[in-house]
């Protein structure tokens, strides 16, 4: 079918001019009647024959027909077209009916059109009538802005309802294994996170904090960073649902009336041969080409993740507007009015939520970046939120296009407490037994104490995903928690795969009863396929085919059902898989996919496979988890491979591999001391950063880097500042021991860096060992929560204080030392038109700095200079 040819034929049926500012009767628009006719009724068979030629499937040749104009099917369609002149519908009503209902109207208007047709031609005529009606309605929409607006409004109402239905729920892991559902309403489950920005970039610049759902207030373009599990996708859901409902907090009133487009990057890729598994080349046997005793086994079949895969090189990294809905597999994408998305963006009414840049292959990210440069320029006035893991994009990745870079903060101590209390409150909703309620309350308090006191748990409880797992496991194990990431994920898999249905006292509804280990192995096959193919989502058919290839090697599963039945069982009963759109499947969270991928790789002994791809940032977590799962000799082989020189390797990739080796050390349970020593030796020079960007980049390595940083006592102030940046990027209290050696520096940049890092560490210890010793001259001391405010008061207060957390006037009046305060920086959103008369309690205050969002304030005492920071 040639759409342009069909459109040209349909255009012939209607007059070229006509009013477009009100509904118009279709009968008055046809070109074969009225005062402005350009066709005669004799032209209709010609148009009908041409439409049949491009729209209908080939038909057997009629032995007596030589002229298509005498074909009975042509005559039938011509009669249908002629009925357009008798239909009592205006263009708006016709478009709202849709192709099927409009075709029925034409059938009623031309009841004798099918006379003389055989059964096959009658069916063809019915199909043709509906297809031609679809093109007619498209023409009417494109012809009239009025019709388009009416049709757009009707579609947008339905689309908004579908957005709410699709995104107004969250999974809260293990809320109640015995009774409750796995999914909870977004409003009940959502915990507001905090975003932060450096507010200007220089040392000591204010770290502005705001609730994450308000990150777009006053901003049209935002790039939001967040580690795995930090809540990026949840924030996208929250914004989409809030805008679709029109239920917006005051700071986000600027989003009212916008149309949300939820655009997960992982959906943009459509490999033309993505269902093929040739690259695995194991004939369904997961143990082919493996040698458990030899860590030097080389699997050439895995050396290139693109082997035997035909990627569509012409596919754009970002879809065009009219393909937005089909690209993300919105089930009613075909119902959108022609040109609708283009009109939304052209009018500046869109909210584009581009989720997961890190889930695009590294070699496609530059094309994605070009699209994110070009589209906002082509369609100004729309609001863009782009999310990514920090490791996937460098700093200032979209700065040239005026994207503000924000970062999702790790959960503060107060945030962790709020999450744990919210989780247990949700769990209590369906419990009626008093003894169970008492036990749950006891679990809540012991978990809060454990997270505060136990360092390993405190390091894990930094984001909603990990906090949810900790809550679920703590309850599931009656107050016992595993320590370390590997133990946590093993326990989580046990909870979700083995104990979930058993605790619910359920008989398998599908007749399949699989133990934990076969489930894990089958899930590993799906995760491994995604890893090898560079995907975080796969077609349902591909998942079923993958299971079919591996089921013969897992007889316990093969005996209970075919691949389709096993797939449905894993989807419905494990809690780890979901179908985000019809026909596709992914893991409920990327971290589970990474962990199961690592298990598969270690079992297959594919360490060369890992080493070959270690320069790719989306493999980092898989490699770290593989080290945690591997045996000592395997760990040594993998780490040595990361350190080894590689032919034609780019210097940046070689550095990346060495730093990755260093980050793996803390995950190795047992490791040859010689290997550990070599990792230290190879990375020693890499931990003396020569730029601030390099210093920040070292933060992802983790606490192990603290063992390799040089003694700061003999370095210049400039290098000391870079070392401070690196050490304060490591959110572990062990960093305090290193920072103590920098606290007496007179350099303002070093002092500002140390002061600004307070919120990352234990409040009182950092106050006593760092804050209390910093020279206060020209230094703003940050306060992000009530605990820090009280600690600073205990130290006697400071003359210049920067408040980054949303504290009340009463708390600030009580907590700040009035006799000492001279400068105050309120680096957070104060709300609508705040009255700052309470500042009269500070007699020596002479300077007040405010965020640009708080330009309109009242009640500032006389003599206090107000300075508003730029956006």
């Amino acid at each position: 079918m040639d759409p342009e040819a069909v459109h040209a034929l349909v255009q012939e049926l209607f007059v070229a001019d006509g009013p477009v500012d009100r509904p118009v009767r279709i009968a008055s628009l046809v070109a074969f009647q009225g005062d402005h006719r350009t066709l005669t009724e004799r032209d209709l068979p010609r148009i009908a024959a041409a439409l049949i030629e491009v729209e209908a499937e080939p038909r057997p040749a009629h032995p007596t027909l030589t002229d298509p104009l005498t074909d009975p099917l042509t005559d039938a369609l011509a009669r249908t077209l002629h009925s357009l002149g008798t239909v009592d519908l205006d263009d708006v009503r016709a478009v709202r009916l849709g192709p099927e209902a409009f075709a029925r109207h034409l059938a009623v208007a031309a009841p004798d059109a099918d006379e003389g047709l055989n059964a096959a031609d009658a069916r063809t005529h019915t199909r043709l009538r509906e297809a031609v009606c679809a093109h007619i309605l498209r023409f009417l929409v494109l012809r009239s802005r009025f019709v388009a607006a009416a049709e757009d409004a009707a579609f947008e109402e339905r689309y908004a309802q579908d957005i709410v239905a699709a995104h107004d729920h969250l999974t809260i892991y293990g809320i109640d294994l015995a009774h409750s559902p796995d999914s909870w309403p977004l409003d009940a489950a959502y915990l507001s996170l905090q975003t932060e920005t450096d507010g200007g970039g220089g040392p000591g610049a204010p770290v502005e904090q705001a609730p994450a759902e308000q990150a777009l207030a006053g901003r049209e373009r935002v790039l939001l960073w967040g580690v795995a599990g930090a809540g990026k996708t949840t924030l996208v859901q929250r914004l989409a649902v809030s805008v679709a409902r029109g239920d917006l907090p005051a700071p986000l009133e600027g989003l009212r009336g916008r149309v949300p487009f939820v655009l997960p990057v992982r959906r943009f890729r459509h490999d033309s041969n993505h269902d093929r598994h040739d690259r695995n080349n194991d004939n369904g046997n997961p143990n082919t080409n493996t040698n458990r005793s030899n860590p030097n086994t080389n699997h050439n079949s895995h050396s290139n993740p693109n082997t035997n895969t035909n990627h569509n090189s012409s596919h754009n990294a970002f879809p065009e507007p009219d393909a937005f809905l089909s690209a993300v597999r919105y089930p009613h994408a075909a119902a959108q009015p022609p040109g609708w998305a283009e009109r939304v963006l052209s009018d500046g009414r869109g909210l584009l939520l581009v989720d997961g840049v890190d889930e695009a292959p590294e070699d496609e990210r530059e094309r994605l970046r070009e699209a994110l440069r070009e589209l906002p320029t082509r369609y100004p006035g729309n609001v863009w939120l782009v999310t990514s893991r920090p490791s996937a994009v460098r700093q200032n990745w979209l700065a040239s296009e005026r994207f503000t870079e924000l970062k999702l903060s790790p959960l503060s101590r107060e945030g962790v407490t709020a999450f744990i209390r919210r989780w247990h409150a949700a769990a209590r909703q369906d419990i009626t037994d008093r003894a169970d309620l008492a036990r749950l309350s006891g679990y809540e308090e012991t978990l809060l104490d454990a997270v505060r006191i136990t360092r390993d748990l405190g390091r894990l409880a930094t984001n909603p995903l990990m906090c949810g797992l900790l809550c679920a496991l703590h309850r599931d194990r009656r107050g016992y928690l595993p320590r370390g990431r590997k133990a946590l994920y093993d326990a989580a898999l046990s909870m979700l795969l083995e104990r979930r249905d058993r605790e619910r006292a359920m008989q398998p509804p599908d007749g399949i009863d699989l133990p934990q280990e076969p489930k894990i192995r089958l899930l590993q096959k799906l995760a491994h396929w995604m890893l090898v193919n560079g995907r975080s989502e796969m077609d349902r058919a591909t998942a079923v085919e993958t299971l079919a290839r591996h089921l013969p090697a897992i007889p316990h599963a093969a005996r209970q059902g075919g691949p389709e039945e096993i797939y449905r069982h894993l989807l419905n009963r494990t809690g780890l898989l979901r179908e985000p759109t019809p026909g596709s499947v992914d893991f409920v969270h990327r971290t589970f996919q990474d962990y199961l991928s690592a298990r598969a790789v270690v079992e297959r002994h594919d360490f060369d496979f890992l080493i070959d791809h270690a320069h790719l940032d989306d493999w980092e977590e898989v490699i770290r988890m593989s080290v945690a799962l591997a045996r000592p000799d395997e760990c040594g082989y993998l780490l040595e491979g990361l350190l080894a020189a590689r032919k034609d390797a780019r210097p940046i990739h070689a550095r990346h591999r060495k730093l990755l080796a260093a980050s793996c050390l803390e995950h190795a349970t047992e490791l040859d001391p010689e290997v550990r020593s070599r990792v230290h030796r190879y990375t020693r020079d890499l931990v003396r950063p020569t730029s601030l960007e390099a210093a920040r980049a070292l933060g992802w390595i983790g606490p192990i880097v603290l063992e390799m940083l040089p003694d700061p006592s003999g370095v210049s102030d400039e290098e000391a500042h870079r070392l401070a940046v690196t050490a304060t990027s490591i959110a572990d209290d062990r960093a305090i021991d290193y920072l103590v050696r920098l606290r007496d520096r007179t350099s303002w940049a070093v002092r500002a860096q140390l002061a600004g890092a307070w919120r990352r560490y234990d409040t009182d210890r950092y106050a006593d060992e760092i804050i209390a010793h910093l020279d206060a001259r020209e230094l703003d001391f940050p306060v992000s929560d009530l605990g820090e405010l009280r600690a600073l008061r205990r130290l006697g207060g400071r003359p210049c204080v920067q408040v980054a957390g949303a504290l009340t006037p009463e708390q600030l009046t009580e907590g700040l030392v009035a006799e000492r305060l001279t400068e105050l920086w309120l680096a957070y959103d104060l709300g609508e038109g705040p009255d700052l008369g309470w500042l009269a309690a500070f007699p020596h205050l002479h300077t007040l700095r405010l965020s640009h969002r708080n330009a309109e304030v009242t009640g500032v005492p006389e003599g206090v200079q107000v300075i508003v920071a730029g956006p």
Side-chain angles (χ1 to χ4, degrees):
M1 182 186 72
D2 183 349
E4 291 186 7
V6 176
H7 185 71
L9 290 167
V10 167
Q11 259 186 315
E12 281 193 65
L13 294 169
F14 299 96
V15 294
D17 56 353
V20 294
D21 58 350
R22 59 182 175 83
V24 179
R25 287 184 66 250
I26 292 176
S28 69
L29 293 175
V30 295
F32 49 82
Q33 62 186 26
D35 296 335
H36 302 285
R37 69 182 65 186
T38 57
L39 295 177
T40 68
E41 293 185 6
R42 288 186 298 238
D43 289 309
L44 294 182
R46 172 182 60 80
I47 295 175
L51 287 170
I52 291 170
E53 183 178 352
V54 294
E55 278 283 358
E57 297 178 359
R59 299 155 60 219
H62 195 287
T64 61
L65 287 181
T66 58
D67 184 357
L69 297 182
T70 63
D71 184 347
L73 181 59
T74 300
D75 181 63
L77 185 58
R79 293 186 188 189
T80 295
L81 297 178
H82 185 269
S83 69
L84 288 168
T86 63
V87 169
D88 188 23
L89 285 175
D90 60 45
D91 47 7
V92 173
R93 288 178 59 201
V95 168
R96 286 186 173 174
L97 282 175
E100 293 182 15
F102 183 53
R104 288 195 293 271
H105 268 268
L106 294 192
V108 171
D112 58 347
D114 286 350
E115 280 186 7
L117 293 182
N118 59 40
D121 279 355
R123 288 193 297 271
T124 300
H125 178 236
T126 299
R127 289 197 302 271
L128 278 169
R129 183 167 53 212
E130 187 173 321
V132 171
C133 283
H135 289 291
I136 290 173
L137 298 186
R138 181 176 184 272
F139 166 79
L140 294 175
V141 170
L142 294 176
R143 170 189 171 275
S144 168
R145 184 76 179 186
F146 182 85
V147 175
E151 175 63 0
D152 287 356
F155 176 76
E156 285 173 24
E157 182 176 353
R158 175 185 184 181
Y159 176 68
Q161 294 170 354
D162 289 342
I163 285 287
V164 173
H167 298 289
D168 191 24
H169 54 82
L170 289 178
T171 296
I172 306 182
Y173 293 98
I175 276 285
D176 188 336
L177 296 179
H179 306 291
S180 295
D182 306 313
S183 184
W184 286 74
L186 187 63
D187 286 341
Y190 183 75
L191 174 72
S192 179
L193 301 174
Q194 293 286 314
T195 60
E196 58 185 54
T197 178
D198 61 11
V207 178
E208 287 193 30
Q209 291 189 317
E213 63 270 23
Q214 296 182 23
L216 294 182
R219 294 184 170 112
E220 284 193 356
R221 303 176 188 181
V222 172
L223 172 59
L224 181 70
W225 292 350
V227 299
K232 301 183 294 297
T233 298
T234 302
L235 173 59
V236 164
Q237 290 180 241
R238 177 73 169 186
L239 288 169
V241 169
S242 297
V243 171
R245 280 181 174 160
D247 182 14
L248 293 161
L252 291 180
E253 274 297 316
L255 299 181
R256 188 173 298 279
R258 292 190 177 271
V259 177
F261 293 95
V262 181
L263 302 170
V265 172
R266 65 180 177 274
R267 305 260 174 86
F268 295 171
R269 300 181 65 222
H270 300 286
D271 300 340
S272 60
N273 199 22
H274 62 263
D275 288 344
R276 296 290 303 275
H277 300 270
D278 298 3
R279 68 179 70 186
N280 292 330
N281 196 27
D282 60 18
N283 298 319
N285 183 352
N287 296 316
T288 302
N289 294 328
T290 62
N291 182 348
R292 291 292 299 163
S293 63
N294 181 8
N296 297 313
T297 303
N298 183 13
H299 300 281
N300 293 327
S301 65
H302 293 284
S303 61
N304 183 356
N306 296 320
T307 303
N308 293 327
T309 298
N310 178 19
H311 293 281
N312 182 0
S313 60
S314 65
H315 174 68
N316 292 325
F318 202 94
E320 284 294 309
D322 283 346
F324 280 176
L325 301 190
S326 58
V328 300
R329 303 180 191 178
Y330 171 59
H332 305 298
Q336 65 178 311
W340 167 70
E342 177 90 18
R343 288 191 292 277
V344 170
L345 267 61
S346 295
D347 292 344
R349 295 195 298 121
L351 169 62
L352 295 107
L353 303 166
V354 184
D355 189 27
V357 168
D358 52 281
E359 299 196 63
E362 191 171 37
D363 58 357
E364 290 186 12
R365 286 181 201 151
E366 190 56 36
R367 288 194 297 144
L368 181 59
R369 182 183 179 208
E370 288 302 316
L372 291 172
R373 286 173 166 175
E374 189 266 336
L375 285 171
T377 301
R378 195 200 315 174
Y379 301 106
N382 297 286
V383 174
W384 293 77
L385 174 66
V386 180
T387 77
S388 177
R389 291 189 188 185
S391 59
V393 297
R394 64 179 182 274
Q395 198 167 21
N396 298 322
W397 194 62
L398 288 172
S400 62
E401 300 308 315
R402 305 194 313 279
F403 273 78
T404 300
E405 294 185 354
L406 300 175
K407 181 170 64 175
L408 276 177
S409 307
L411 283 179
S412 64
R413 289 176 291 277
E414 290 73 18
V416 171
T417 298
F419 185 98
I420 292 173
R421 295 208 181 280
R422 179 79 65 88
W423 189 98
H424 286 84
R428 276 191 284 268
Q429 291 182 13
D430 291 315
I431 298 177
T432 56
D433 185 88
R434 291 186 178 180
D436 286 343
L437 284 171
R439 277 191 292 269
L440 188 61
S441 296
Y443 292 153
E444 179 178 350
E445 297 307 319
T446 56
L447 179 58
L448 287 170
D449 289 340
V451 169
R452 294 188 193 105
I453 296 170
T454 308
R455 174 182 293 177
D456 286 345
L457 293 180
R459 288 174 59 194
L460 288 171
T462 58
N463 61 59
L465 173 70
M466 287 300 189
C467 282
L469 285 178
L470 289 174
C471 290
L473 288 167
H474 187 257
R475 181 185 180 191
D476 186 51
R477 296 184 164 216
R478 294 171 173 80
Y480 166 76
L481 274 175
R483 296 189 179 185
R485 185 179 297 183
K486 175 184 179 296
L488 180 68
Y489 278 102
D490 282 341
L493 289 176
S494 175
M495 177 185 71
L496 293 169
L497 300 182
E498 181 71 7
R499 304 187 64 171
R500 189 167 175 260
D501 283 347
R502 191 176 74 215
E503 294 289 339
R504 292 181 176 186
M506 288 184 64
Q507 293 298 319
D510 51 15
I512 296 175
D513 187 11
L514 285 180
Q516 175 178 331
E517 193 57 33
K519 289 180 187 174
I520 288 179
R521 290 186 177 277
L522 291 168
L523 290 166
Q524 284 176 194
K525 308 307 178 187
L526 303 182
H528 187 260
W529 186 95
M530 293 182 186
L531 175 71
V532 173
N533 288 274
R535 303 284 292 276
S536 56
E537 184 178 291
M538 64 197 299
D539 285 352
R540 188 181 192 276
T542 304
V544 172
E545 182 187 342
T546 301
L547 294 174
R549 297 178 69 246
H550 291 286
L551 272 176
I554 307 175
H556 197 122
R559 286 194 298 267
Q560 299 200 43
E564 184 70 41
E565 291 77 21
I566 295 297
Y567 168 79
R568 285 199 300 268
H569 177 77
L570 295 176
L571 176 69
N572 296 327
R573 307 302 332 144
T574 66
L576 286 173
L577 296 178
R578 62 174 183 169
E579 288 188 341
T581 59
S584 66
V585 61
D586 65 4
F587 284 87
V588 293
H589 201 278
R590 178 66 181 268
T591 54
F592 286 113
Q593 177 190 326
D594 289 343
Y595 186 67
L596 288 165
S597 298
R599 285 181 60 114
V601 168
V602 170
E603 286 186 5
R604 297 168 67 99
H605 222 78
D606 283 346
F607 297 106
D608 288 308
F609 181 43
L610 289 178
I611 292 167
D612 286 344
H613 298 89
H615 62 287
L616 302 175
D617 56 71
D618 50 344
W619 287 64
E620 292 172 2
E621 195 66 13
V622 176
I623 291 172
R624 279 194 282 264
M625 290 183 174
S626 296
V627 169
L629 292 162
R631 300 182 306 185
D633 60 330
E634 296 167 338
C635 285
Y637 180 79
L638 179 53
L639 293 174
E640 293 275 20
L642 294 176
L643 297 176
R646 299 175 65 85
K647 185 179 180 181
D648 300 327
R650 296 170 58 191
I652 190 172
H653 289 164
R655 180 177 182 273
H656 184 99
R657 290 171 182 274
K658 291 181 174 65
L659 292 176
L660 180 57
S663 74
C664 288
L665 289 180
E666 67 174 319
H667 300 290
T669 304
E670 182 181 349
L671 183 64
D672 184 342
E674 283 296 319
V675 176
R676 184 179 293 274
S677 177
R678 274 194 291 278
V679 173
H680 279 284
R681 188 164 63 251
Y682 272 81
T683 54
R684 186 180 299 122
D685 291 338
L686 296 178
V687 292
R688 296 195 75 147
T690 57
S691 69
L692 290 178
E693 184 174 4
R696 294 187 190 98
L698 289 176
W700 67 268
I701 295 180
I704 191 67
V705 78
L706 296 169
E707 302 174 18
M708 298 181 283
L709 289 176
D711 183 350
S713 60
V715 304
S716 67
D717 282 346
E718 187 177 0
E719 184 172 0
H721 178 223
R722 293 195 294 270
L723 293 173
V725 169
T726 296
T728 55
S729 298
I730 301 166
D732 187 288
D733 283 348
R734 282 175 283 181
I736 299 175
D737 296 325
Y738 186 84
L739 296 173
V740 162
R741 292 182 279 173
L742 290 163
R743 69 189 184 187
D744 295 325
R745 289 267 175 172
T746 58
S747 163
W748 178 86
V750 174
R751 290 184 289 126
Q753 188 67 39
L754 267 57
W758 190 1
R759 70 190 185 282
R760 293 177 175 269
Y761 306 104
D762 179 83
T763 300
D764 290 328
R765 183 185 169 199
Y766 199 86
D768 293 335
E769 298 192 32
I770 304 294
I771 299 295
H773 298 268
L774 295 177
D775 184 344
R777 287 177 300 169
E778 301 178 348
L779 189 63
D780 292 292
F781 285 82
V783 167
S784 59
D785 57 46
L786 191 57
E788 290 178 358
L789 180 64
R790 290 168 176 165
L792 196 64
R793 183 175 183 85
R794 176 170 58 80
L795 297 178
R798 292 294 185 272
C800 303
V801 177
Q802 177 193 123
V803 182
L807 298 174
T808 67
E810 293 76 16
Q811 291 169 333
L812 291 172
T813 303
E814 181 181 349
L816 295 169
V817 178
E819 295 75 19
R820 197 166 183 191
L821 186 69
T822 59
E823 298 184 28
L824 181 62
W825 196 326
L826 299 178
Y828 64 97
D829 192 342
L830 300 175
E832 289 292 320
D835 184 350
L836 300 184
W838 56 272
L839 292 175
F842 303 98
H844 303 295
L845 181 67
H846 57 70
T847 302
L848 173 66
R849 291 186 175 89
L850 298 173
S851 162
H852 70 282
R853 304 183 189 192
N854 300 317
E856 302 296 328
V857 296
T858 61
V860 178
E862 188 176 350
V864 176
Q865 180 187 9
V866 178
I867 300 174
V868 178

